Amino acid sequence: MSVAARSSRPAPSVNANLFAALRAAFPADLTACAIETDTGLQYSWRDLDEATAMVANLLESLQLPAGARIAAQVEKSVEALVLYLATLRAGLVYLPLNTAYQSAEMAYFIEDAQPAVVVCSTRNFGWLSKLAFLAGTAHVFTLNDDRTGSLLGRAAQFPRHHRVAPVRSDDLAAIIYTSGTTGRSKGAMLSHGNLLSNAQVLQTYWGWRTPEQGGDVLIHALPIFHVHGLFVAIHGALINGSKMIWLGKFDARVVLEKMPQATVFMGVPTLYVRLLAESGLNPAAVRNMRLFISGSAPLLLDTFAQWQQRTGHTILERYGMSETAMLTSNPCALQDGERRGGTVGRPLPGVQLRVQDDSGASLPSGAVGGIQVKGPNVFQGYWHMPEKTAQEFTADGFFKTGDVGYVDAQGYVTIVGRSKDLIISGGYNVYPAEIEGYINALPGVVESAVVGVPDADFGEVGVAVVIARPGTHLQPAEILARLKATLANFKIPKRCYVVAELPRNAMGKVQKNLLRAQYTGA
Ligand code: MLC
Ligand code: AMP
């Protein structure tokens, strides 16, 4: 990583800027449609080029130091995508934040990341700009999903041409915050080289068809503040010069309506479950589709099999993380093998993956242990957390994913669990330690435990089990209401129980496995 050192180093001889690679893939005909939205807007490749140039020129006019962070908490829109691309283009560091985060969560990210620029919706400008200015942020712009806001107003005054800023491969492109098992979120620092290498590998491995080969069209239905929607989907389409059908929000009916004009779809398992609930999902609806990709959470075998029956297509499941982008994938091309439900496929070209036990011994195929990875896609470390970063890497440079699984004789990886205490709900990560911290701080609470239980829609949801101080009459609804006032909505446990005691082992540790069993289906 080389944020601080960058300004004092001579310009690189080869520009490793991810944007330069994406721009080079734009089709020759810049008037062709690059993005079509669910609100009926069309953006040409020229529009993307010029809009990113104008926003990049605006950012450069602020004369920010090398490595400055541009934090964005904005609704999904093509202009939000332009802001991301313009940040890359200007050689600055993009920091996307989930729109569900409330003030306490935002205060932490802004204090920790010290962004030079914050971009938010006009609706949140009052409280968020106050937070940002207090933390030393110099510039706060607004951007709304209806193309209004001060960012675009200011950018309109800048030229439509811009020379892509020169960067080195290890210069940072983005910081993605992922919650920690101890409750403190960590910023995973990803470089231009990390993201570009992953995009290039996936372009080949997933057989993207260039415009000259007839082209692919991606339905983009995911949020753009996490790895899946921001990197895998957007880079996948752009580095191939492929058009995107852009949905502001996932809606199963709209996806089905758009499907005949598309060839590729990416989703978390919940999206597939919801599409299966639509009677219009049939072979005719998917007649032009080439590829369905699932990831971010385990895809149930039942969903995998039902999808095959209803559509004749086999979902390709892949596995990745904020820290690493994509790590493994089921095969796309027939000659690479079959797509096996319940597995996340084989390590991608360039990715080394091994399974180790707690003593650090590598395990043979079939044996279950901790999954470790190495490759050009693996991140540069956690922002301002060198000790934490060091803990998560082995002496020989493998990153410990915290996922538990095995590799079979054909090289397919199966994830069987996680060593990290984490709930994945509808593709979003929820850390029980963070929620328990908030519950324990409520008046009248002695202790709490949050566990994940299976859920038909979200795959897994949180359940809170709380011990109240004797004499207090804490109601579960009140606990949930208090949490809702503070935390992002997807983190709120779906159910809450006030109990007299929690099951413990001989060491006094709460036995979460027993709670999970007790509250499954309760
Ligand atoms: C929404 N809700 C959730 C939730 N999403 N609850 C639990 N888990 C979730 N994921 C709740 C809200 O709190 C709200 O509750 C109610 O559902 C309706 O909110 P909504 O915003 O209208 O929900 P909806 O649009 O239906 O969203 C569901 C969803 C969304 C599945 C479309 O969660 C989603 O887009 N998930 C994708 C996440 C993703 O992109 N993950 C990739 C991470 S990258 P209430 O009570 O307030 O009404 C990664 C690496 C990798 O993991 O490998 O890819
Ligand atoms: P995040 O921190 O949001 O990047 O989440 C990364 C985690 O999501 C991984 O460490 C896995 O636990 C999980 N994950 C991603 N893809 C899959 C998958 N296909 N199957 C099971 N778990 C997955």
Side-chain angles (χ1 to χ4, degrees), residues 178 295-298 317-322 344 403 415 418 420 424 429:
T178 76
S296 309
E317 184 169 6
R318 78 349 172 242
Y319 156 58
M321 296 181 74
S322 300
V344 293
D403 292 307
I415 298 172
R418 303 167 203 127
K420 49 199 175 190
I424 303 186
N429 290 4

Side-chain angles (χ1 to χ4, degrees), residues 267-280:
V268 300
T270 300
L271 272 50
Y272 288 97
V273 169
R274 291 188 183 183
L275 282 163
L276 279 166
E278 292 294 321
S279 56

Side-chain angles (χ1 to χ4, degrees), residues 176-179 226-228 269 294-299 317-328 343-344 399 401-404 415 417-418 420 422 424 427-429 431:
I176 306 287
Y177 272 87
T178 76
S179 301
H226 293 299
V227 163
H228 200 159
S294 175
S296 309
L299 180 74
E317 184 169 6
R318 78 349 172 242
Y319 156 58
M321 296 181 74
S322 300
E323 287 92 336
T324 63
M326 297 304 98
L327 291 165
T328 73
T343 83
V344 293
F399 173 61
T401 63
D403 292 307
V404 174
I415 298 172
R418 303 167 203 127
K420 49 199 175 190
L422 159 69
I424 303 186
Y428 285 140
N429 290 4
Y431 278 82

Side-chain angles (χ1 to χ4, degrees), residues 56-286:
N57 281 320
L58 162 62
L59 294 174
E60 283 186 5
S61 77
L62 305 176
Q63 302 203 308
L64 306 174
R69 277 81 56 215
I70 313 297
Q73 190 194 34
V74 288
E75 295 296 338
K76 183 176 178 183
S77 68
V78 176
E79 288 67 29
L81 164 63
V82 164
L83 172 62
Y84 165 56
L85 296 175
T87 304
L88 295 176
R89 191 169 183 157
L92 299 166
V93 182
Y94 193 63
L95 167 45
L97 293 159
N98 195 319
T99 46
Y101 292 142
Q102 301 204 53
S103 57
E105 292 154 316
M106 289 299 290
Y108 172 79
F109 295 125
I110 288 178
E111 297 254 319
D112 192 59
Q114 301 272 301
V117 175
V118 168
V119 184
C120 64
S121 62
T122 303
R123 186 165 42 90
N124 292 339
F125 180 79
W127 63 268
L128 199 44
S129 60
K130 211 162 160 188
L131 270 182
F133 291 137
L134 278 174
T137 296
H139 310 275
V140 181
F141 295 105
T142 54
L143 175 64
N144 305 308
D145 59 3
D146 61 357
R147 293 182 291 160
T148 60
S150 61
L151 182 84
L152 299 179
R154 286 283 301 280
Q157 297 155 16
F158 284 84
R160 291 159 191 266
H161 296 283
H162 171 268
R163 194 176 150 263
V164 179
V167 302
R168 286 183 169 71
S169 175
D170 63 352
D171 283 332
L172 294 194
I175 296 180
I176 306 287
Y177 272 87
T178 76
S179 301
T181 36
T182 52
R184 241 190 108 196
S185 284
K186 303 162 292 183
M189 301 188 289
L190 292 147
S191 68
H192 286 261
N194 292 147
L195 298 177
L196 179 55
S197 63
N198 210 235
Q200 287 168 333
V201 162
L202 293 175
Q203 185 190 13
T204 308
Y205 199 74
W206 289 346
W208 283 87
R209 296 182 310 207
T210 60
E212 296 72 39
Q213 295 163 326
D216 268 314
V217 177
L218 171 78
I219 297 185
H220 194 300
L222 288 162
I224 57 167
F225 30 68
H226 293 299
V227 163
H228 200 159
L230 186 64
F231 300 152
V232 190
I234 288 172
H235 298 167
L238 293 185
I239 204 157
N240 195 59
S242 288
K243 176 177 157 179
M244 286 189 268
I245 297 179
W246 187 264
L247 312 188
K249 200 172 185 303
F250 171 76
D251 178 326
R253 290 204 187 144
V254 180
V255 170
L256 279 182
E257 206 178 283
K258 301 287 180 191
M259 224 172 245
Q261 299 140 49
T263 61
V264 181
F265 178 77
M266 293 185 194
V268 300
T270 300
L271 272 50
Y272 288 97
V273 169
R274 291 188 183 183
L275 282 163
L276 279 166
E278 292 294 321
S279 56
L281 181 75
N282 53 41
V286 302

Side-chain angles (χ1 to χ4, degrees), residues 24-66:
F26 283 17
D29 178 11
L30 289 180
T31 63
C33 180
I35 303 181
E36 181 189 309
T37 71
D38 51 355
T39 52
L41 297 173
Q42 300 241 353
Y43 295 75
S44 67
W45 294 96
R46 176 167 292 131
D47 291 335
L48 274 192
D49 186 37
E50 293 184 352
T52 54
M54 290 156 92
V55 177
N57 281 320
L58 162 62
L59 294 174
E60 283 186 5
S61 77
L62 305 176
Q63 302 203 308
L64 306 174

